[in-house]
């Protein structure tokens, strides 16, 4: 239960004076539904105004507060704006322009009456104008400096300022959870004062740092509580005897790194508390094989294993490769996705319940309520970054005794992110690629050269090669992406024959996608045109050419993932990044980095650094934004301290019962880590 103290903050915005359904609706567009959302709606900048007696004392672009006297009106017709001509104290003319509501404008600025107006000075031909100035009442002076907030239609900055102020008024004083020495060392004020300052222009940077720290601290504390709670859980140890793994016939040796992480994982599984481990490894480092060996370890010990994939394509592909390996050694593998229905589904459910299925792969369907396992001992989650913390927790509660959990992530994760997103987990890292891999050669090509690129593609497939052609995510809409990919596929089919070019996109039915993927994997298709659905996991070693259209529209992590689809065999692979004509600074930096390095960890660090809000498409995949206040830089700077501080607190007061412990509980509620509070020792 959320403490009484915080109730005013968690009330709906309509609880604030002056907020009715209309304003509440508008605020909702900015995801501001509760008082606390407004309180944390921090300004993104400042505006400065200057007070001037006349416009000649100001410069174009400045925001002026100036007294004027209207002397003429030209009323707008149709689309034309209404212009009111006014004169300032020096007898200079200024045009006040209004795009609608001519009647209203005339009323606000009657001819011959002095008014004080505020607005941005524009040059309009030879003249000076202000578009939609604010008209001030007598005696009201706006502040010379004021915060600027992210806004939405129907809520102007002034209004937002008032709303935020009303929210801040409701913010209670809270007991202190920050270590005294840390407060002092950073010059931080208490929470409530810091919140107010963060909206002001007095020490706002220091105040913002404190708020960011609070958020990161709550995050770290929550993760450590999960870790602590997990240590207290008991489960069945799974120690395989190697009889299945030894029978695997692999065409290659495990790398030293693979062997090491397998040792770490099986070491965990042999304990009587559930494993909670993250497996990191760059694209192509061979995580799938580690997963297989881990699952066989569970099966050897008499348990079932389940593997969760983020997409159906990937689940099917895992099924194929697992089957190839497992059937030969008498291990039964099945798949369960939304597509297995009726009789098929029934028989899978039966096999899981009676234990005749050893390994199940699938999408989320494998954890639905109805799915009962005889003895689920291990869950492997592939491509971990797509699943959130709460989901991970839930997953581990599914079996009768908690299963061991291995999470795998394809994108290398910068250290600070590992700390803040996976702080509750142990980490294993595959830091070496299988031998013989050649670095992928990456070229950035202007889209003006698309014809040349298509010619090159023709030579590539004529020589027996296969290639991917990835079309950009145009908008946050599958429909539009699909259309772009369809157009591209049309063009390539016309050129290379429709039996040589396949297409997959998010809008297609599962079966259709599978058919196309299978034909590509077995070499019937030479070119696979795709949207980002193929981003993760797909493994076709003979495909050695990757063309990414609109490359500037992708984020670094995504580009790295996509490029990782090639370079999987021993022959030289290439990646062509087709870019548009105009590039933003960051996009340019991203492409340059891609050309320069194949090192996933370096790319991940840079990604974090370069990422500007709204810069990267495919945000719908990053639903795991852990922080609302803390910026990437703040996370990097403050997370290590927050972690050790949270750790220290828990060592001293594991139940968070003391004075600081109680305060820390409040921080968990404040940042909505309520679930973590439930994990405290003794409830
Ligand atoms: P990822 O870590 O991206 O999931 P995969 O598991 O898909 O990588 O492996 C990439 C490719 O490397 C696959 O074709 C796989 O068969 C191969 N591979 C895995 N381990 C080794 C190894 N030790 N030696 C050689 N090739 C390997
Ligand atoms: Mg993989």
């Amino acid at each position: 239960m959320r403490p009484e103290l915080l109730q005013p903050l968690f009330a709906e915005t309509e609880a604030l004076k002056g907020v009715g359904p209309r304003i509440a609706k508008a605020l909702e567009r900015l995801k501001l539904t509760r008082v606390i959302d407004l309180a944390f709606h921090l300004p993104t900048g400042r505006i400065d105004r200057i007070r001037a007696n006349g416009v000649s004392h100001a410069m174009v672009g400045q925001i002026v507060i100036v007294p004027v006297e209207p002397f003429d009106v030209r009323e707008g017709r149709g689309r034309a704006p209404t212009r009111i001509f006014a004169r300032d104290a020096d007898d200079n003319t200024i045009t006040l322009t209004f795009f609608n509501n001519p009647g209203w404008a005339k009323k606000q600025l009657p001819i011959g009456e002095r008014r004080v107006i505020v607005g941005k000075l524009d040059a309009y031909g030879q003249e000076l104008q202000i578009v939609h100035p604010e008209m001030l009442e007598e005696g009201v002076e706006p502040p010379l400096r004021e915060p600027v907030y992210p806004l939405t239609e129907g809520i102007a900055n002034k209004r937002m300022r008032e709303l935020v102020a009303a929210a801040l008024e409701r913010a209670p004083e809270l007991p202190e959870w920050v270590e005294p020495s840390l407060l002092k060392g950073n010059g931080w004020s208490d929470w409530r004062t810091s919140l107010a300052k963060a909206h002001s222009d007095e020490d706002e940077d220091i105040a913002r740092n404190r708020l960011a720290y609070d958020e990161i601290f709550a995050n770290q504390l929550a993760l450590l509580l999960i870790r602590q709670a997990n240590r207290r859980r008991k489960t069945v140890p799974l120690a395989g005897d190697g009889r299945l793994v030894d029978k695997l016939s692999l065409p290659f040796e495990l790398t030293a790194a693979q062997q090491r992480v397998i040792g770490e994982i099986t070491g965990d599984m042999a304990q009587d508390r559930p494993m909670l481990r993250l497996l990191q490894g760059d694209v192509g480092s061979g995580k799938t094989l580690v997963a297989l060996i881990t699952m066989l370890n569970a099966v050897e010990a008499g348990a079932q294993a389940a593997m969760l994939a983020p997409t159906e394509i990937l689940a099917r592909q895992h099924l194929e490769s697992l089957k190839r390996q497992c059937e030969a050694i008498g291990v039964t593998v099945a798949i369960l996705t939304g597509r297995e229905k009726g009789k098929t589904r029934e028989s899978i459910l039966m096999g899981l319940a009676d234990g005749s299925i050893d390994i199940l792969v699938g999408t989320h369907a494998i954890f639905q309520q109805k799915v009962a396992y005889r003895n689920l001992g291990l869950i492997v989650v592939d491509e971990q970054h797509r699943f959130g913390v709460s989901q991970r927790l839930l997953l581990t509660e599914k079996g009768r005794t908690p299963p061991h959990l291995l999470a795998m992530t394809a994108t290398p994760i910068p250290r600070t992110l590992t700390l803040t997103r996976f702080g509750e987990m142990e980490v294993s890292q595959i830091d070496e690629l299988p031998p013989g891999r050649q670095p992928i050669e990456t070229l950035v090509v202007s889209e003006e050269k698309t014809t040349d690129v298509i010619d090159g593609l023709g030579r590539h497939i004529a020589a027996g090669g296969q290639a991917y052609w990835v079309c950009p995510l145009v908008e946050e809409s599958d429909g539009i992406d699909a259309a772009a990919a369809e157009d591209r596929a049309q063009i390539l089919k016309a050129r290379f024959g429709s039996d040589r070019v396949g297409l997959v996109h998010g809008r297609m039915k599962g079966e259709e996608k599978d058919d196309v993927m299978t034909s590509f994997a077995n070499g019937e298709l030479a070119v696979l045109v795709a949207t980002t659905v193929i981003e993760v996991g797909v493994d076709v070693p003979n495909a050695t050419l990757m063309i990414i259209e609109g490359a500037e529209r992708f984020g670094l992590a995504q580009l790295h993932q996509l490029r990782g689809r090639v370079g999987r065999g021993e022959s030289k692979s290439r990646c062509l990044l087709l870019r548009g004509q105009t590039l933003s600074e960051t996009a340019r930096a991203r492409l340059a980095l891609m050309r320069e390095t194949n090192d996933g960890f370096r790319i991940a660090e840079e990604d974090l650094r370069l990422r500007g809000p709204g810069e990267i498409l495919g945000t719908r995949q990053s639903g795991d934004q852990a922080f609302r206040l803390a910026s990437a830089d703040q996370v990097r700077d403050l997370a290590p301290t927050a972690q050790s501080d949270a750790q220290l607190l828990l060592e001293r007061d594991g139940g968070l019962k003391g004075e600081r412990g109680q305060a820390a509980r409040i921080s968990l509620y404040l940042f909505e880590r309520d679930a973590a509070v439930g994990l405290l020792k003794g409830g």
Side-chain angles (χ1 to χ4, degrees), residues 551-570:
E552 76 278 9
R553 311 178 61 103
F554 293 97
L556 270 176
Q558 251 179 333
L559 288 174
H560 181 62
Q561 272 298 314
L562 288 168
R563 181 171 61 181
R565 298 309 106 215
V566 297
R568 314 201 122 228
E570 298 203 347

Side-chain angles (χ1 to χ4, degrees), residues 252-255 258 281-289 317 382-383 408 410 430 434-435 437 537-539 541 564-565 568:
F252 43 70
E253 300 271 309
L254 292 179
T255 62
Q258 282 171 320
D282 209 342
V283 237
S285 61
K287 292 181 294 290
T288 317
L289 186 58
Q317 186 172 314
D382 194 11
E383 313 307 355
M408 306 202 293
I430 310 185
R437 292 279 171 79
V538 174
D539 187 27
R565 298 309 106 215
R568 314 201 122 228

